[in-house]
Amino acid sequence: MAHMIPEYSSAQLEQIESRAEQKIYSLFQANLPDTFLVLHSVAWLASSPGLQAQDGEIDFLIVHPDYGYLTLEVKGGGIALDPTTGQWTSTNPSGSYKIKDPYDQARRAKHQILEQIKNHRDWSRRPRDRQWITGGHAVAFPDAESGAAFVGPDRPGVITLCHMELKDPQTALSNMFAFYAGERASPLGNDGVDLIERLFARPLKVQSLAITRIEEEEQTRITLTQNQYRILRFLANRRQVGIQGGAGTGKTLLALAKARELAAQEMRVLLLCYNSALGEHLKLVTDDDENIEATSFHKFCESRFKSNTEVDYKAQALALDPGSGSSHLFTVVYPNALNAYLEDKDETVDAIIIDEAQDFHPDWWLPIQMMLEDGTKSPFYLFYDLNQCLFQRPEEFPVSELEEFPLDQNCRNTAAIHSIFQSFYDGDPIQPPEIPGVPVVTHASSGLEDQAESIHSIITEMIDKQAIPAEDIVVLIANRRALTRSQEALASLRLPKPNGWSQSAMRNAGKVRICSVAKFKGLEASIVFLWGLDGIEPDNQEDKMDLYVGCSRPRNELHLVGGRRILRRLTGEV
C-alpha cells in the first residue's frame, strides 16, 4: 500500500470535493506498493529574486526513490478540447463548464516543484552527481476510456491516465518515469523522498505555549486539529488574510505553523506580536530557523535603531513630534522612527505575520507594510481577538481586500474553564474543548493578607504533595492597582526549597510566576490562580477584558481567589 499523505479515513475521503480525485486516491492507495509516496492536494507559495511571489498547486505529487517525481492533475467527467480556441471543457450531469488546460497546469507545477527542491538548503548538500533528478508531469481523466484519445504534440499517450491505464497504475506510472528519465538523471534516493516530504508535508505540530523554553524536559506537543489543518490549507494560496478567534482557539499556534511553512519555502518571514513576553517566547521557539525573525513590535524597532550607529532615529522622531511619557514614545515616536529608518535602509521581507493584531496602533501599519517585498502580493497574515484589545477596538485593519476566517474551536482549555471565560466573550460562539477537566475552584477569604496565605498554602501542597513543578503554576493579578501589594504579600511567604517566586512572565525552572494579566496575555500555563478580584467590576469594559484574558490562560486548572461576593458573581452563583 502506498504511503499516502494525508492519510484519509473513509469519511474524510468522502469530503473531498472532486469525485475524480477520490477515485485516483483510492486506486493509488490500494494498488501502489509502499515504495511510492503520494501527496494529495499540494500547495506552495514560491518566491524568486526580483519577481513577485507565485502560487502553485497540484492535485497529486507522486514520488519514488528509484525514479523521481511526477505532478498529476486530475479532471473528472467528459473532457473536450476546442483546438481553435485552446479551451478545455468538462461535462457532468449538471452541465458543461470551462477548465484550465490540465497539461499546462501539471507542466507548470513540475517546474515550480523542481525549483522548490533545488532551493532547499539540504538539496545543495547532496553530491553534485546526485542533484540531477527525473521530474515529469501527467494528467488523469478517470472517467474517460483511454489515454489514446488525448494524444497530441505536447500530449504523448504515455503521460495520460484514463480508465484503461488505471487498471494497473503501477505499470502506468513506471512507464511515465521511464519516458521522462534522462541520461544524467540519478535516483532520487530515500533521502530525496524525505526532503520532498518535509518540504510539502511538514508535520503540523508546534510547541505548546505552556512550554516557553524549548529545552525544558516537560515539553508538550499539540497537534493541530483537523479544523486548524483546514485553515492552513485555506491560507496556502491566499496572500492577505485575517484570522479571528477567541482565547484558546490556536491563533498563535497557527501563526507559528504558517511562519515555519513559509520559511521552509526559503521565504524571509517576520513574525511580530505586541506583548514583549510573547515576543520572547516566539523568538525562543523559532530560533532554530534562520528564515524567521520573531519578536514584539517594539523590540523589532529597537533592534533596528541599535543596528545603526550613524543616525539616532528615535531622537529625530522625538524632535519632529515632541511629547512625553511612554505612551507617546511607543505609539508615536517608534513608528515614525521606523519609517525614517526604512526610507534610508529599504529593508524588506517576503512575508509578515502579525499575532495580537488587535493591539497594533493604526500608526504602526505604515512602516510594517513598507517592509513587504510587494505590498499587494506578499503574504500578510493578521491573527486577532477583538475581546483582548488593550486599547480602543480597531475600526478596520490596513488591508483593503483582507479576507477573514474565523476560528471556532477551543483547543487550549478544558470545558470547565471554557464555560467560565465565555461569559466575558463577545462574538460568534466558540465550540468548547472535548476535555471536561476538573471544576473551576474558588477560594473565598477577605483581605489581601489572608488571600495570600491561602494561595501560598495551596501552591505549597501542589509542589510538595502533588509533585507539580513550580514553573507550571502562575498567579495572575486582575486588579492592576493591587499588583505591587499582591506581589509583595506573596513574596514574603517562602515556598519549599529550592523553589521561589518570580515576577517575570517567562517560564523559569523552580519559579512560580506572579504578574499582571496584561503582562501574561498571549501566554498560558497548566495551573493559574486569578487573584486581585476584589474591586473588579465585570461590567466595566477594561475589567471585563482582564477577566476574559485571565480566566482563559490555564490549560488544566483555574483557581479564583477573592471575596465571596465577587466569586459568586463570576461563577454565576448569585
Side-chain angles (χ1 to χ4, degrees):
M1 183 181 292
H3 179 196
M4 308 296 292
I5 298 180
E7 189 173 342
Y8 298 124
S9 65
S10 298
Q12 290 170 331
L13 187 61
E14 286 295 321
Q15 293 176 2
I16 296 176
E17 199 170 306
S18 167
R19 293 293 178 188
E21 291 178 33
Q22 290 183 27
K23 291 180 183 178
I24 296 296
Y25 185 98
S26 297
L27 283 168
F28 285 172
Q29 185 178 42
N31 295 287
L32 295 181
D34 59 9
T35 49
F36 279 89
L37 169 66
V38 180
L39 293 88
H40 173 242
S41 192
V42 178
W44 59 90
L45 192 58
S47 175
S48 300
L51 299 175
Q52 67 181 37
Q54 290 186 328
D55 296 321
E57 60 180 337
I58 193 68
D59 293 330
F60 288 92
L61 175 59
I62 304 159
V63 189
H64 195 283
D66 295 337
Y67 306 134
Y69 73 92
L70 290 170
T71 56
L72 181 69
E73 187 67 21
V74 179
K75 301 296 181 186
I79 303 296
L81 167 65
D82 184 345
T84 60
T85 62
Q87 180 61 61
W88 289 78
T89 57
S90 175
T91 303
N92 58 34
S94 51
S96 297
Y97 53 96
K98 295 179 181 180
I99 59 173
K100 295 179 180 179
D101 181 342
Y103 292 92
D104 185 58
Q105 286 180 278
R107 183 186 305 109
R108 289 174 181 271
K110 173 183 67 177
H111 294 302
Q112 290 177 357
I113 282 178
L114 180 59
E115 285 301 308
Q116 293 280 314
I117 296 171
K118 289 167 58 179
N119 289 336
H120 196 283
R121 64 177 73 93
D122 289 349
W123 187 257
S124 62
R125 295 170 183 158
R126 288 166 63 106
R128 186 172 295 276
D129 62 351
R130 295 193 61 218
Q131 293 184 18
W132 291 88
I133 60 170
T134 296
H137 66 277
V139 175
F141 303 118
D143 297 326
E145 178 62 24
S146 170
F150 296 92
V151 172
D154 61 341
R155 302 185 300 277
V158 70
I159 71 169
T160 304
L161 296 176
C162 292
H163 178 74
M164 290 293 295
E165 291 79 14
L166 289 169
K167 289 181 178 180
D168 186 359
Q170 182 178 354
T171 298
L173 293 177
S174 298
N175 291 338
M176 287 183 189
F177 279 117
F179 173 78
Y180 282 112
E183 293 182 1
R184 300 181 65 182
S186 61
L188 179 61
N190 289 323
D191 57 337
V193 174
D194 291 342
L195 186 152
I196 292 176
E197 182 174 347
R198 294 199 311 273
L199 185 59
F200 295 104
R202 190 186 185 104
L204 294 177
K205 288 187 177 181
V206 292
Q207 189 175 1
S208 163
L209 286 179
I211 306 300
T212 52
R213 290 183 183 271
I214 200 169
E215 310 85 19
E216 293 289 329
E217 292 182 355
E218 302 87 3
Q219 287 186 23
T220 302
R221 306 293 290 185
I222 292 180
T223 301
L224 299 183
T225 64
Q226 281 299 113
N227 182 50
Q228 291 169 317
Y229 179 77
R230 175 171 59 89
I231 292 163
L232 281 180
R233 294 289 297 276
F234 169 83
L235 292 178
N237 291 322
R238 288 164 173 81
R239 308 286 180 76
Q240 299 180 341
V241 184
I243 306 297
Q244 179 176 1
T249 54
K251 296 182 296 298
T252 301
L253 294 175
L254 283 166
L256 278 167
K258 190 61 188 177
R260 288 194 178 279
E261 182 181 282
L262 294 173
Q265 298 174 24
E266 300 300 324
M267 299 183 81
R268 297 163 298 142
V269 182
L270 178 60
L271 174 57
L272 294 178
C273 65
Y274 176 84
N275 187 292
S276 59
L278 178 59
E280 289 181 48
H281 167 74
L282 295 176
K283 184 178 186 302
L284 278 172
V285 298
T286 59
D287 218 28
D288 60 335
D289 198 319
E290 61 186 14
N291 288 331
I292 300 176
E293 180 175 4
T295 183
S296 67
F297 174 75
H298 295 112
K299 289 279 182 67
F300 174 81
C301 293
E302 283 287 356
S303 70
R304 288 338 189 240
F305 303 155
K306 290 178 180 178
S307 69
N308 188 287
T309 56
E310 299 175 0
V311 181
D312 191 337
Y313 290 100
K314 276 201 298 184
Q316 287 185 353
L318 191 58
L320 291 172
D321 196 341
S324 60
S326 59
S327 177
H328 179 76
L329 178 68
F330 294 136
T331 304
V332 178
V333 174
Y334 271 60
N336 288 345
L338 184 59
N339 273 333
Y341 168 84
L342 292 172
E343 287 177 357
D344 287 349
K345 302 301 179 183
D346 193 29
E347 179 179 340
T348 61
V349 293
D350 298 314
I352 295 179
I353 299 173
I354 307 292
D355 197 13
E356 302 183 303
Q358 75 279 352
D359 292 330
F360 277 53
H361 191 277
D363 291 344
W364 302 356
W365 292 118
L366 177 60
I368 287 173
Q369 289 182 288
M370 284 175 63
M371 288 185 286
L372 285 170
E373 183 71 33
D374 186 319
T376 60
K377 300 295 185 182
S378 296
F380 187 40
Y381 304 111
L382 311 183
F383 292 81
Y384 53 93
D385 178 0
L386 297 179
N387 288 270
Q388 296 192 52
C389 299
L390 288 177
F391 313 105
Q392 185 177 355
R393 281 195 175 202
E395 294 183 4
E396 59 181 18
F397 288 107
V399 184
S400 59
E401 297 182 359
L402 185 75
E403 292 186 81
E404 290 192 353
F405 199 98
L407 295 173
D408 58 6
Q409 176 69 52
N410 185 331
C411 59
R412 172 198 294 154
N413 317 104
T414 65
I417 296 170
H418 175 89
S419 66
I420 289 289
F421 72 78
Q422 279 300 289
S423 61
F424 311 118
Y425 172 76
D426 296 322
D428 295 331
I430 302 295
Q431 298 300 314
E434 296 180 359
I435 304 169
V438 297
V440 173
V441 184
T442 58
H443 306 279
S445 57
S446 55
L448 185 140
E449 299 298 332
D450 288 345
Q451 292 170 3
E453 290 278 1
S454 176
I455 293 172
H456 172 260
S457 174
I458 299 164
I459 291 178
T460 297
E461 182 178 351
M462 286 179 171
I463 295 172
D464 261 356
K465 304 290 178 63
Q466 301 176 31
I468 296 175
E471 56 268 26
D472 285 348
I473 305 170
V474 177
V475 180
L476 298 181
I477 314 302
N479 189 338
R480 306 179 191 192
R481 297 177 293 277
L483 176 62
T484 301
R485 290 192 299 119
S486 301
Q487 289 176 325
E488 290 174 349
L490 272 183
S492 67
L493 304 172
R494 293 186 177 180
L495 291 172
K497 292 182 179 180
N499 301 290
W501 305 99
S502 170
Q503 295 182 10
S504 169
M506 296 300 291
R507 181 186 176 93
N508 192 2
K511 300 295 183 182
V512 175
R513 290 163 281 178
I514 321 169
C515 61
S516 68
V517 169
K519 191 173 184 179
F520 205 67
K521 192 166 76 69
L523 300 173
E524 63 182 52
S526 294
I527 299 171
V528 169
F529 287 78
L530 187 59
W531 188 25
L533 297 173
D534 299 301
I536 286 288
E537 179 50 61
D539 292 332
N540 175 275
Q541 191 60 39
E542 185 174 310
D543 288 346
K544 181 180 179 181
M545 186 200 74
D546 282 341
L547 289 170
Y548 171 73
V549 174
C551 289
S552 61
R553 297 307 95 197
R555 294 193 345 263
N556 305 105
E557 292 184 26
L558 172 61
H559 296 255
L560 301 176
V561 183
R564 294 186 185 280
R565 179 178 296 180
I566 186 64
L567 292 180
R568 286 173 177 171
R569 188 171 180 187
L570 295 181
T571 57
E573 299 176 7
V574 181

